[in-house]
Amino acid sequence: MNRPGRSQAPVRGARKAWLKGVGAGLLVCALVTGCGGGDDEKVAAAVKPGPTVTVTATVTATPALMGSQVDSAVASATGVAKEHGYRVTAHDASEKDASPADDWTVCFEKYGRDSVDFGAVASGAPCPKADGRPIPWPSMPGLVGRTYAAAATAVGKVTDGDISVKASYKDEDVDGDHDDWKVCFQSPGAGTQVVGDRDVTLWLTEDGCPSAKGTYKDKTNDPDYTPPAAAGSDNSSGSSGSSGGSSGGGAGTTCEIVSNAGNCYNAGQFCRNADVGSSTHAGNGRLIFCRDEGSRNRWNY
């Protein structure tokens, strides 16, 4: 119910004006900014996840522990090291720069995180005192005066080479058991550096040593030996043997066959081809025979 004295027209006019303002504002909002939607899109864009980045890490496995390979062959040591996960290299352990072969012997080993380097020497060579130093080859010991058995033992300590034996005298043969024979000469000489498996030659004798190799133990065996004239012998005595022989031994000794120089032969001396099968008395009076003994003919009992 309307109270007297008050007018309602201004109220209705104000309401209409307000509604018009609100409607105009909504229209402008929708046309220009979407009424707050732009801020929401900016926030969404700010939290949008970026591209995915994948990081790959390489992990190197630590090789398993292994025992020392010193004194092993390079090929064997390499195989063991690789089985344990090591990268393997090898070098010459001496002062030289040769490439180690599979049968070389490992002297030194140096480890890295996942690697091992072997320092090696040729098979049979001794290891140097330190990596890169010269190989300490042994020296040949002095063998003269020792028995063959003792000398052979000493040689075996410095080389695995062969030992050859020869007779110190030309008229002595080294055969059968000669362990107790004495060494008169040796090659290589005492003090010589023995590199590798060097062969050794020993000159032996059953009795006393000669002053030089190649002499005769019994001087009468030397083809150039001339026996001394018998005491009291005289060419003028008219004594002569058959076939132009001469007395070369004791009294009454006759040499039926003599050398070109007119001397009696002795056992061990060379004889002429024409005398093969013949016999004569030697200068000492004993009967000797000329026999074919291969390359040369000799007078023997």
Side-chain angles (χ1 to χ4, degrees), residues 57-223:
T58 302
V59 178
T60 302
T62 302
L65 295 177
M66 70 175 183
S68 174
Q69 297 303 304
V70 172
D71 293 334
S72 299
V74 168
S76 174
T78 298
V80 173
K82 287 184 175 180
E83 288 178 357
H84 284 73
Y86 288 92
R87 293 181 292 107
V88 182
T89 56
H91 67 275
D92 190 338
S94 74
E95 81 284 13
K96 303 185 183 301
D97 193 26
S99 297
D102 287 346
D103 64 342
W104 281 33
T105 303
V106 175
C107 294
F108 308 100
E109 50 193 2
K110 183 178 181 180
Y111 290 90
R113 176 182 174 81
D114 62 344
S115 64
V116 61
D117 181 32
F118 294 125
V121 296
S123 177
C127 290
K129 296 185 180 299
D131 201 351
R133 299 290 299 277
I135 293 177
W137 292 106
S139 297
M140 179 61 62
L143 307 172
V144 174
R146 304 190 190 190
T147 64
Y148 170 78
T153 299
V155 169
K157 295 179 179 179
V158 297
T159 178
D160 290 328
D162 295 331
I163 300 178
S164 300
V165 294
K166 296 183 178 181
S168 298
Y169 292 100
K170 276 191 173 182
D171 53 347
E172 189 172 40
D173 295 325
V174 182
D175 54 5
D177 183 9
H178 50 266
D179 282 353
D180 293 333
W181 285 37
K182 186 167 67 174
V183 177
C184 295
F185 309 98
Q186 70 176 84
S187 177
T192 302
Q193 190 178 56
V194 182
V195 178
D197 294 335
R198 186 164 182 177
D199 295 338
V200 176
T201 302
L202 303 176
W203 283 263
L204 311 178
T205 185
E206 193 171 11
D207 298 315
C209 290
S211 58
K213 298 188 291 287
T215 59
Y216 288 86
K217 191 172 186 179
D218 183 352
K219 294 181 179 180
T220 63
N221 291 332
D222 187 346

